[in-house]
Structure formats: structure tokens, C-alpha cells
Amino acid sequence: MSIDQSTAAKVAKLARIKVEDDALPALASEFNTILGFIEQLNEVDVDGVEPMVSVEPMRLKRREDVVTDGNQQDKVLANAPDAREGFFAVPKVVE
């Protein structure tokens, strides 16, 4: 796949990047270099390769999934500009 100057200008416009007309050939060339690298990556045989999230094989620490109230209502409401009856008080916005 090859990117021409008009396509590069359209991509720049969609990305809301101001590109001068004299810089369009260089931008199109950069896009073509990137696409060439992607095509090169598509040629790599990855059959049998497991997806990974880290270079170190490890499991994340797990905790029991339990719903709690946090037991910190007083600490949380201490930062509120206005708190009433254990809740944040906010001005009425709907009439």
C-alpha cells in the first residue's frame, strides 16, 4: 500500500494537524515507511506464540471480590464543602 500526497493531506486534516504543502511529500514518505514496517511485521510467523502482557511470567495478586462501603465515610465527608446526614450536599440543578 502506498500513501500519496493527497492522502497524507487528508490524514493530517483528520488529525487536525496543520501541514504546509511543501511538507506533504516528506509526510507521505514517513507514512509509507511506517506502512512498510507494518507489512514486514505481518510476515512474521506467530503460530503457537501465546499472547503476553509482560516479559516476566507472573500472576497478579488477587483479592476477594467483596462489596464494602469502605468504612471511611467520615474521612471522605471531611473534604466535602457541605455534608448532611452522611451524604454530600449539592445545590439543586433541576427546577
Side-chain angles (χ1 to χ4, degrees):
M1 179 175 192
S2 180
I3 301 289
D4 58 356
Q5 291 183 28
S6 64
T7 306
K10 185 175 180 180
V11 170
K13 181 180 178 185
L14 290 172
R16 299 182 193 279
I17 299 171
K18 183 177 180 181
V19 178
E20 301 297 332
D21 289 337
D22 58 339
L24 283 175
L27 182 63
S29 175
E30 287 182 41
F31 283 152
N32 286 322
T33 302
I34 292 168
L35 290 176
F37 181 69
I38 292 171
E39 288 176 3
Q40 197 175 18
L41 287 175
N42 284 334
E43 295 173 4
V44 175
D45 181 23
V46 292
D47 290 337
V49 177
E50 292 290 325
M52 53 191 270
V53 295
S54 173
V55 294
E56 272 300 308
M58 67 175 99
R59 290 187 53 87
L60 295 176
K61 295 179 182 177
R62 308 257 183 198
R63 63 173 170 80
E64 190 175 337
D65 191 13
V66 178
V67 177
T68 66
D69 64 357
N71 297 325
Q72 298 184 9
Q73 183 179 21
D74 295 332
K75 290 180 183 178
V76 172
L77 291 177
N79 295 323
D82 188 11
R84 298 181 196 151
E85 300 176 13
F87 297 98
F88 287 101
V90 295
K92 183 177 179 180
V93 293
V94 178
E95 299 201 25

